[in-house]
Amino acid sequence: MKDITYKDKQDELIKPLTERARKLKDSLWWKHTRGGEYVEKGVKAGIERSRYMTQSFKETDGEEWVIRRAKALANVLDNMTIFIKDHELLVGDHAEKPNLIPIYQESNYFLNIDILKSPYCPDEKEEFREITEWWKPHTIQTKAEEYIDKDEKALQNNNASMESPGYVTGYSSPTPAYESVFEDGLEGRIKRIEGKLKEAQDEFLHQNPWNGPEAMTLPKKMDEWKAMLIADKAVIRWAKRYARLARYMAEEEKDPKRKEELLMIADVCNHVPAKPCRGFRDAVQAQWFTYLLCQSLERYGSGMSCKMDTMWWPYYKRSVIDKSEQPMTREEAVELVVLHRLKVSEHGVVKSRLYREIHAGANDLFIITIGGVNPDGSNACTDLTNIILEAAATAMTTEPSLGLRWHKNIPELTVRYAFECIKRGLGFPSIKNDDTAIPSLVEGFGSGKLSVQDARRWALCLCMSPGPTGRHGGLRTRWACSSYTAKCLELSLSDGYDHSYTDSQLGPHTGDPTKFKTFDDLLQAYKIQYQHVHSAITRARDLSRYLEAKFYQSPFLSSLDDECVERGLDGIEWDEFCNPWFNVMDEVVVADSLAAVKKLVFEDKKYTMQQLVEALRANWDGYEEMRLDFWNAPKWGNDDDYVDEIAANLYRYNSLELQQNTNLFGAHPKPLPQHVAIYWTLGPRIGATPNGRRHGEVLDDGGNSPYIGCDKKGPTAVLNSCAKLDYSLQKGVLLNQKLDHNVMNSDKGFPLWYAYMKTWHKLGIDHVQFNVCDHEQLRDAQKHPEKYPDLIVRVAGYSARFVDLSVYAQDTIIARTEQELAG
Amino acid sequence: MFFFELINTNAVRINQRLGKKMEKEKDRVPLITEIQRYCISDGPGIRTLIFLKGCSLDCPWCHNPECKSPEIDIYYHEDKCQKCGKCIEICPQRAISWLSSKKEAILRDREKCSKCLKCVESCPLKALEKVGQALAFDRIIDEALRDRAFYETSRGGITLSGGEPLFFPEYSLKLLKKFKAEMIHTAVETSGSYKWEILEEIAEYTDLFLYDIKCMDPTMHKRFIGVDNKLILNNLRKLSAVKANIRIRVPVIPRFNNNKENFELLVDYLQSLENPVLAVDLLPFHNSAEKKYIQLGLNYAYKGEPFMEKKEVEWIKDFLEKNNITTTIGGIIGPEEV
Ligand code: SF4
Ligand code: SF4
């Protein structure tokens, strides 16, 4: 008896790209970077955003800064070149040509200088040089530097113990209130804002008797509202420019089918974002316009924070299910989501070299959240959730990434769509545990601030951090920053002196490590180094935020949020649901190191602290036997209670100590261990570590993923280790898992993976994402076997550690994997 | 690969001696080469495999050559070796020498070696590795129970493998009893080449047998493996009669059993059983063990033999399925009820 396996159904689930999508995909300008450079020749910065923004700023000298920001945005929107590409149904771009990306010259002068000298400088180089000159005294960075001294500047900017602060990177990750664009339209927002402005003016002029402290809060609010109005009106004009362009192109178009499409585009852009959305076409276009504004044209913002399936659902339902507005088939809906993916794939950001390296292989971070539960706790996965997953498996683009909220009643069909993406090697959806994230959010905001119902509407702010969404309650601009705990450990083993990278007294003096008598002495030193860095990082964040509220406002973004409109507040000042976190990195390297020192130095007494310090300083050179002992000491990720307990204590401690800091809104930041691609750019900045790692070698690649080559007992042991952490103390913890391509693609791949995921959920682990091993990785494993002792491949019934195979056998497996991927 | 401590070196030595006059000794304690977690092709669901070291057969294609001998073995990782010569110096038996005057590798004489492990301890680069650990019973159980949560969601469990679990009847029984008491699904991989009384007792605590049938022709069987298949086939018949759950494993080996006649005989035989077996798992030949043979200093009979493509055995699957026998290639069966 042969049961119908999932494999038989697979072709029905994922269909090939439509011709339109294929053509658009083939002509895309990818903005990916590799080794710090843009891969595609011809990708560079465009001048227009900087030009029109600077032009306006020169004309508005003396006006309130927020008004100047709004007028500058309006000047960009009224004058920038717009275009519609062949075959497009979804329109709008952030620069004047598809190969260009805009510059954020107002955020920091480092970046401006970097661009000016790079091959990515706009063609109008002289003009950009002048722009750079003009902005030098006005950038957030310049203003921040007024408040710090030389040492602090070095600490915050040398990237040895912390990531460059916000005033240098201009990094932010807002969750725009898309719902208010969909439901009210910008005309509705304008009405509401005009009402507030009028009310405030009346009160200001007619308050009797005069109440100074209260009344004098009004002028600032009035400025904010005025700026919101300028911005909203300019956005409507800009969308209508697209409508006019589409209409004009339709007149010229010979092909009747395309003509019709262009007229449809014109209709949509004429309607949204000015008016409430009618159907799915409106909703997708309105989201894209709003995104371009909030995270590119008005200011740079990373991520694509939204609960997309929920947010689009009412419009999808009207169009695809009820067919009452903008009727379309399910296939057309899939195509539209694919087109949205392609738009994101062409989106890019001008970044400094550091970030081009950190975001290797991507053009920025775009993460859309789907799945999970509704505010009432019922399942929120719909067919639209499935469509978003299906579009990803169809389009096969790395961006945008998806975050799937896995809850205990997640429908099997949604799981299957997710599996289709993962087994194709996309690396997403990354999966978050809804049932741990929600209580953690409620608890994280402090007593009764965020209701369970509101918490259930959460979306990822960036890669990993949950935050509320919706018309209100979401903090409009959140952001993270990264800290490197391996450096803290390194400093605790050198009395605060950084021998490996900056050659300076980077940390406080914590005593001669060769004199440490107990494991606790080492821990104490580490703790002091840790707090030193984390106080500085919080200070840098607060300083950035304070200045951004004065000089880097986002009136358009703010106008979408009910609470900001109500209070005449800029998004950056929004204090209620402050959602601070830091990406606390390399904790696995630190935990493995601490375990090795505890065991070999303080328990077995095989080595002394003196020997350890010497060996580390020598980068293990001449100490290979000793290095192997440290390398073979108990390692995190093997379900070994000895090291797992040390790790659990370290994560707990790092969280509690970080929460000792209070940010300017009174909130306490939590750690969010994850690494992006920093784990390898960091290699040269962190000296040799007691886990047996040499200076220059990578750090751990996740938040709790075992160190490369150290998970020797397979994925179940990794999950068992991970289950020992207290996730309520973390904002999120990233776990990378490698899975075998052949198993995932076998008949039983799905049920086995599903069973594995059910256990993952039951163990209460926060997150997991999968790397389904491809031939490139296998080739790398052939070259660098030491990095992959854990890589298990299945060869028709036999399982083997890949590195244990003869070269010939390895070649055959690689050949087979390649062939299956091609087939 | 495991960080288990040696509990009793004396026990190891006794064990080694016992290994030599193995046939009679029912209560041998096996060395363990590995407890491998997250295995998915040796029984249903996600499983933990316990590899017992020692087997009385000698199949030339064996994928776990390190599990053939019940004694300790030593792997030599040539890629890690710095050719320092320390092991040569320290060996009391003078069992280690340079491979040639070029000193490009060392050579351990398996006959001369007394398994004192002095070389393993002295190698600064861990290029010599001990294979086989005397693990305390409780350690084995503890390790195997750690993935209980995964067994529950995937309908998995533990599989005794090797080597040959029936080579250690008392010990295997003790393990199986303990796992059944813990409500864990148990599977035993076996060649079936032991006294029926042993098998009968084991069957009481075994939820699934993964039963090897290498080939139907007794002469071929004898020529390749050293014993004929009479006992094996008789045992299977009895096992079927007591309603054991059985999956047949057939390693498909070139020039040995991949011919139509063999599988026709297999079908006839399987159809003559009192109760049908659950399925047949075809395991196409693969040379993935070659490196292990080299590391152990053993000869590999299939050197240079290309691995068998899945499509080369598809005809067997078709043939078996035509005869109403469920068949897999590779043996991944997923989370199924057995
Ligand atoms: S185990 Fe002992 S006898 Fe055997 S090779 Fe090593 S040192 Fe020599
Ligand atoms: S002691 Fe180790 S490194 Fe030195 S020759 Fe022997 S095996 Fe090689």
Side-chain angles (χ1 to χ4, degrees):
Chain A
M1 210 179 65
K2 192 170 176 286
D3 52 358
I4 298 175
T5 62
Y6 179 53
K7 185 122 183 163
D8 301 327
K9 292 193 199 158
Q10 159 184 330
D11 291 343
E12 289 166 36
L13 280 187
I14 309 300
K15 294 183 201 68
L17 278 181
T18 59
E19 203 188 318
R20 177 201 313 282
R22 156 80 40 216
K23 283 181 182 151
L24 277 165
K25 188 180 174 189
D26 288 348
S27 63
L28 271 192
W29 282 91
W30 305 93
K31 309 294 188 326
H32 294 176
T33 57
R34 186 192 300 141
E37 307 301 338
Y38 292 97
V39 179
E40 198 151 343
K41 288 250 164 330
V43 169
K44 55 192 334 198
I47 190 85
E48 287 195 2
R49 180 182 183 277
S50 302
R51 172 190 290 159
Y52 296 121
M53 204 160 246
T54 311
Q55 194 184 60
S56 169
F57 260 90
K58 284 180 181 165
E59 286 163 9
T60 55
D61 194 15
E63 297 182 40
E64 282 301 324
W65 204 272
V66 65
I67 303 278
R68 297 180 77 182
R69 292 270 308 156
K71 285 186 174 172
L73 175 66
N75 199 42
V76 173
L77 296 177
D78 288 338
N79 293 297
M80 72 183 283
T81 311
I82 60 167
F83 60 88
I84 295 172
K85 296 200 294 180
D86 291 346
H87 315 295
E88 271 191 335
L89 294 180
L90 180 64
V91 303
D93 201 284
H94 58 348
E96 54 269 34
K97 279 188 200 154
N99 62 321
L100 301 181
I101 29 192
I103 306 169
Y104 306 97
Q105 77 292 332
E106 68 270 46
S107 92
N108 72 84
Y109 65 83
F110 274 4
L111 179 61
N112 295 343
I113 295 168
D114 188 291
I115 296 167
L116 201 53
K117 290 184 177 161
S118 78
Y120 314 117
C121 182
D123 291 336
E124 302 81 355
K125 192 164 181 169
E126 262 324 296
E127 186 182 352
F128 186 64
R129 192 188 307 281
E130 278 168 34
I131 289 171
T132 301
E133 280 306 309
W134 192 88
W135 278 98
K136 178 93 203 279
H138 302 298
T139 66
I140 302 298
Q141 181 186 6
T142 319
K143 294 181 192 296
E145 285 169 355
E146 300 280 325
Y147 301 95
I148 55 177
D149 65 7
K150 205 168 119 277
D151 286 348
E152 183 76 6
K153 194 173 164 186
L155 177 68
Q156 293 188 3
N157 286 290
N158 60 22
N159 247 284
S161 53
M162 60 185 270
E163 183 188 353
S164 305
Y167 61 75
V168 171
T169 61
Y171 219 76
S172 109
S173 46
T175 307
Y178 291 111
E179 289 84 347
S180 57
V181 181
F182 296 172
E183 289 161 17
D184 306 353
L186 292 184
E187 287 175 1
R189 303 307 293 173
I190 289 169
K191 232 168 153 186
R192 190 190 279 234
I193 297 161
E194 279 173 346
K196 292 301 296 182
L197 183 59
K198 173 90 183 24
E199 210 177 279
Q201 273 164 342
D202 283 353
E203 196 186 333
F204 189 72
L205 293 177
H206 302 112
Q207 205 172 61
N208 191 1
W210 180 252
N211 177 359
E214 192 197 292
M216 286 315 291
T217 62
L218 290 171
K220 182 178 169 299
K221 292 182 179 185
M222 290 193 278
D223 287 334
E224 186 68 42
W225 283 315
K226 282 180 194 161
M228 289 181 188
L229 289 172
I230 294 167
D232 283 11
K233 287 174 184 168
V235 172
I236 294 176
R237 288 198 300 276
W238 175 69
K240 289 194 193 281
R241 287 180 65 204
Y242 278 98
R244 265 200 308 282
L245 176 62
R247 224 173 293 123
Y248 171 76
M249 287 169 74
E251 276 164 29
E252 303 283 302
E253 182 61 55
K254 300 272 175 325
D255 176 6
K257 195 164 161 278
R258 181 62 184 157
K259 193 184 190 91
E260 203 180 300
E261 286 172 3
L262 286 162
L263 288 174
M264 186 182 70
I265 294 171
D267 172 61
V268 170
C269 296
N270 201 36
H271 192 85
V272 293
K275 295 188 165 52
C277 295
R278 298 161 295 186
F280 195 48
R281 274 188 209 293
D282 281 356
V284 175
Q285 183 65 63
Q287 190 275 342
W288 182 243
F289 276 151
T290 308
Y291 173 78
L292 285 177
L293 260 300
C294 295
Q295 295 184 237
S296 194
L297 290 165
E298 183 168 62
R299 75 162 279 182
Y300 165 53
S302 194
M304 193 182 261
S305 182
C306 64
K307 182 69 186 18
M308 188 170 265
D309 48 354
T310 308
M311 159 180 112
W312 274 346
W313 173 250
Y315 311 99
Y316 173 84
K317 188 167 171 296
R318 276 182 214 166
S319 293
V320 180
I321 299 174
D322 305 341
K323 310 238 188 271
S324 58
E325 295 274 4
Q326 299 177 326
M328 65 171 84
T329 62
R330 189 181 184 279
E331 287 69 37
E332 285 175 293
V334 174
E335 183 185 57
L336 201 52
V337 179
V338 168
L339 298 183
H340 183 271
R341 293 191 67 82
L342 297 179
K343 271 288 178 199
V344 177
S345 299
E346 202 163 63
H347 196 83
V349 186
V350 170
K351 279 179 289 199
S352 67
R353 200 183 163 84
L354 173 77
Y355 280 84
R356 296 200 299 266
E357 284 177 3
I358 290 175
H359 298 154
N363 58 39
D364 198 18
L365 305 170
F366 310 91
I367 297 94
I368 288 167
T369 307
I370 53 174
V373 294
N374 290 310
D376 66 1
S378 61
N379 166 50
C381 298
T382 58
D383 194 36
L384 185 52
T385 316
N386 302 343
I387 281 186
I388 292 169
L389 289 161
E390 180 179 343
T394 305
M396 288 302 284
T397 56
T398 48
E399 287 111 17
S401 178
L402 300 174
L404 176 64
R405 290 169 46 183
W406 184 296
H407 64 95
K408 61 178 183 295
N409 297 319
I410 189 166
E412 183 170 329
L413 191 58
T414 299
V415 174
R416 288 186 163 197
Y417 275 106
F419 175 77
E420 286 301 318
C421 293
I422 290 166
K423 78 166 200 201
R424 281 169 166 74
L426 276 175
F428 61 78
S430 105
I431 299 173
K432 286 279 284 190
N433 194 334
D434 220 24
D435 298 303
T436 59
I438 291 165
S440 164
L441 260 174
V442 172
E443 183 270 331
F445 284 108
S447 55
K449 262 194 166 176
L450 186 70
S451 69
V452 178
Q453 286 74 15
D454 282 341
R456 284 175 178 151
R457 290 183 298 144
W458 71 268
L460 296 167
C461 303
L462 206 46
C463 302
M464 284 287 298
S465 176
T469 67
R471 299 174 56 108
H472 43 75
L475 178 70
R476 295 308 104 196
T477 44
R478 313 177 178 95
W479 64 75
C481 194
S482 309
S483 61
Y484 315 143
T485 60
K487 181 58 82 179
C488 302
L489 179 71
E490 191 186 345
L491 295 176
S492 65
L493 288 165
S494 64
D495 194 18
Y497 197 89
D498 179 19
H499 293 274
S500 62
Y501 185 56
T502 60
D503 198 16
S504 67
Q505 187 68 37
L506 196 61
H509 290 283
T510 41
D512 178 355
T514 62
K515 306 251 160 62
F516 292 164
K517 288 279 165 302
T518 62
F519 181 59
D520 231 43
D521 290 346
L522 172 59
L523 273 187
Q524 283 316 319
Y526 166 78
K527 289 175 179 181
I528 294 167
Q529 299 293 348
Y530 178 88
Q531 189 52 275
H532 177 72
V533 170
H534 289 83
S535 303
I537 204 169
T538 323
R539 171 161 55 245
R541 266 305 175 209
D542 273 0
L543 181 57
S544 304
R545 189 154 203 160
Y546 166 79
L547 291 166
E548 289 186 34
K550 291 174 81 159
F551 301 109
Y552 206 7
Q553 303 94 332
S554 304
F556 177 73
L557 176 79
S558 314
S559 77
L560 307 184
D561 185 80
D562 285 354
E563 200 65 23
C564 286
V565 169
E566 187 57 37
R567 291 167 60 188
L569 209 61
D570 195 84
I572 208 86
E573 298 172 283
W574 181 223
D575 53 356
E576 190 178 351
F577 294 114
C578 189
N579 194 17
W581 78 87
F582 292 110
N583 298 335
V584 176
M585 297 186 171
D586 340 312
E587 285 170 298
V588 167
V589 165
V590 175
D592 283 349
S593 296
L594 290 174
V597 177
K598 185 171 189 219
K599 180 134 193 15
L600 292 167
V601 177
F602 296 110
E603 285 176 7
D604 298 357
K605 304 214 185 314
K606 187 163 180 186
Y607 300 99
T608 63
M609 280 306 288
Q610 176 86 35
Q611 282 171 304
L612 176 64
V613 170
E614 279 167 16
L616 292 175
R617 210 58 48 75
N619 193 20
W620 298 109
D621 240 5
Y623 296 84
E624 185 58 10
E625 194 173 348
M626 180 176 172
R627 189 190 73 83
L628 285 173
D629 275 334
F630 279 79
W631 177 251
N632 287 317
K635 291 282 181 284
W636 167 256
N638 294 294
D639 198 7
D640 176 335
D641 293 336
Y642 182 85
V643 51
D644 292 357
E645 192 188 318
I646 291 175
N649 284 333
L650 177 75
Y651 280 81
R652 176 177 309 109
Y653 166 77
N654 282 348
S655 174
L656 296 178
E657 196 62 11
L658 179 57
Q659 292 186 57
Q660 293 290 315
N661 295 292
T662 312
N663 79 358
L664 87 162
F665 297 133
H668 307 289
K670 270 191 183 181
L672 198 164
Q674 66 150 339
H675 255 131
V676 200
I678 294 180
Y679 74 98
W680 59 265
T681 58
L682 210 51
R685 298 166 203 261
I686 309 285
T689 38
N691 61 334
R693 178 191 149 276
R694 298 185 191 88
H695 184 194
E697 290 175 353
V698 298
L699 282 298
D700 50 293
D701 73 349
N704 56 1
S705 317
Y707 188 72
I708 289 182
C710 289
D711 48 335
K712 300 194 168 165
K713 293 200 185 175
T716 56
V718 173
L719 290 199
N720 281 341
S721 280
C722 289
K724 295 173 196 170
L725 300 183
D726 180 353
Y727 292 99
S728 72
L729 290 170
Q730 313 287 328
K731 198 83 183 78
V733 187
L734 185 141
L735 173 63
N736 277 319
Q737 284 280 62
K738 279 199 279 293
L739 290 180
D740 179 40
H741 168 87
N742 290 317
V743 172
M744 287 295 270
N745 284 278
S746 77
D747 287 4
K748 303 297 176 188
F750 176 71
L752 281 167
W753 179 77
Y754 193 21
Y756 173 83
M757 284 306 298
K758 282 183 190 159
T759 312
W760 166 86
H761 179 260
K762 208 159 72 179
L763 292 174
I765 298 168
D766 174 66
H767 168 269
V768 65
Q769 63 188 26
F770 297 95
N771 195 342
V772 172
C773 207
D774 60 21
H775 57 277
E776 273 176 38
Q777 243 174 334
L778 295 175
R779 287 215 180 283
D780 194 49
Q782 226 175 0
K783 273 187 233 125
H784 307 285
E786 69 287 354
K787 274 160 60 185
Y788 299 89
D790 54 322
L791 184 60
I792 291 177
V793 286
R794 307 268 159 183
V795 237
Y798 307 114
S799 58
R801 288 206 176 80
F802 185 75
V803 297
D804 289 347
L805 302 177
S806 65
V807 173
Y808 172 66
Q810 290 177 343
D811 283 342
T812 57
I813 290 168
I814 293 172
R816 181 181 292 177
T817 309
E818 274 167 351
Q819 173 198 340
E820 282 183 21
L821 284 176
Chain B
M1 289 293 133
F2 292 84
F3 305 113
F4 291 145
E5 73 272 19
L6 196 62
I7 47 152
N8 183 348
T9 40
N10 217 10
V12 176
R13 285 201 201 97
I14 293 166
N15 205 33
Q16 286 166 5
R17 256 185 284 121
L18 282 175
K20 282 187 183 124
K21 42 173 175 134
M22 55 191 191
E23 292 308 332
K24 309 264 151 40
E25 311 286 343
K26 270 186 75 185
D27 45 5
R28 275 185 297 266
V29 175
L31 298 177
I32 305 293
T33 58
E34 187 159 7
I35 299 178
Q36 197 177 4
R37 291 156 71 170
Y38 190 68
C39 293
I40 55 170
S41 37
D42 303 274
I46 294 171
R47 311 188 73 79
T48 296
L49 254 62
I50 302 167
F51 288 93
L52 311 184
K53 190 165 165 15
C55 179
S56 57
L57 301 186
D58 187 15
C59 309
W61 55 80
C62 178
H63 273 84
N64 300 320
E66 75 280 16
C67 290
K68 282 188 175 186
S69 148
E71 300 179 8
I72 279 197
D73 268 309
I74 297 171
Y75 274 146
Y76 170 48
H77 301 287
E78 199 190 318
D79 49 337
K80 289 186 191 163
C81 171
Q82 296 268 305
K83 291 61 170 175
C84 69
K86 262 196 194 161
C87 54
I88 298 179
E89 259 166 55
I90 209 151
C91 175
Q93 308 295 328
R94 303 238 159 270
I96 309 182
S97 59
W98 292 114
L99 183 64
S100 77
S101 55
K102 277 187 260 157
K103 302 189 177 180
E104 75 277 36
I106 58 152
L107 186 69
R108 185 174 58 93
D109 185 334
R110 294 175 60 88
E111 295 302 311
K112 276 195 201 164
C113 171
S114 70
K115 313 281 168 74
C116 74
L117 297 178
K118 288 220 166 78
C119 55
V120 173
E121 283 152 26
S122 74
C123 173
L125 295 157
K126 314 223 179 329
L128 294 168
E129 184 195 345
K130 180 179 73 165
V131 189
Q133 313 265 356
L135 293 186
F137 183 79
D138 290 346
R139 285 300 294 270
I140 301 176
I141 300 293
D142 173 67
E143 179 82 12
L145 291 183
R146 281 184 170 248
D147 279 350
R148 188 197 281 276
F150 294 90
Y151 309 152
E152 282 165 9
T153 53
S154 71
R155 301 208 182 104
I158 64 98
T159 301
L160 296 190
S161 182
E164 171 58 63
L166 298 194
F167 192 60
F168 307 96
E170 287 303 323
Y171 200 81
S172 292
L173 202 60
K174 192 169 149 199
L175 285 170
L176 291 169
K177 278 184 182 167
K178 176 71 183 165
F179 287 126
K180 282 326 295 172
E182 292 281 350
M183 317 272 281
I184 302 283
H185 181 276
T186 56
V188 171
E189 246 180 324
T190 181
S191 68
S193 187
Y194 294 87
K195 272 191 287 191
W196 165 246
E197 292 70 44
I198 294 177
L199 209 54
E200 191 181 21
E201 218 183 344
I202 293 268
E204 267 180 64
Y205 300 92
T206 302
D207 295 314
L208 175 69
F209 280 99
L210 303 168
Y211 201 103
D212 268 26
I213 294 190
K214 279 123 188 160
C215 102
M216 297 301 292
D217 176 353
T219 348
M220 277 298 258
H221 203 279
K222 176 130 201 193
R223 218 171 86 207
F224 274 76
I225 303 168
V227 295
D228 75 19
N229 57 6
K230 205 166 138 211
L231 179 61
I232 297 172
L233 295 179
N234 282 342
N235 277 342
L236 180 58
R237 187 172 300 286
K238 291 180 188 159
L239 213 47
S240 159
V242 299
K243 297 202 175 81
N245 290 314
I246 306 164
R247 293 182 76 95
I248 301 296
R249 314 270 276 185
V250 183
V252 185
I253 308 297
R255 298 181 300 284
F256 172 59
N257 63 0
N258 64 337
N259 56 70
K260 186 110 199 256
E261 202 194 336
N262 180 47
F263 288 97
E264 278 166 0
L265 288 169
L266 179 67
V267 167
D268 288 348
Y269 173 76
L270 292 181
Q271 283 172 345
S272 75
L273 295 177
E274 203 164 313
N275 294 298
V277 297
L278 295 172
V280 170
D281 299 319
L282 299 171
L283 311 177
F285 170 81
H286 198 281
N287 52 16
S288 59
E290 180 170 352
K291 197 164 165 188
K292 287 200 274 187
Y293 280 86
I294 297 170
Q295 285 170 344
L296 289 167
L298 291 171
N299 241 344
Y300 184 47
Y302 289 89
K303 208 171 159 197
E305 180 77 36
F307 73 93
M308 219 179 238
E309 290 279 0
K310 205 173 160 183
K311 58 176 186 279
E312 288 179 65
V313 298
E314 231 130 51
W315 70 269
I316 308 175
K317 180 171 155 65
D318 292 345
F319 173 71
L320 294 174
E321 281 181 346
K322 230 176 261 151
N323 285 288
N324 294 322
I325 297 170
T326 309
T327 308
T328 75
I329 300 175
I332 300 182
I333 42 185
E336 268 174 19
E337 205 104 47
V338 174

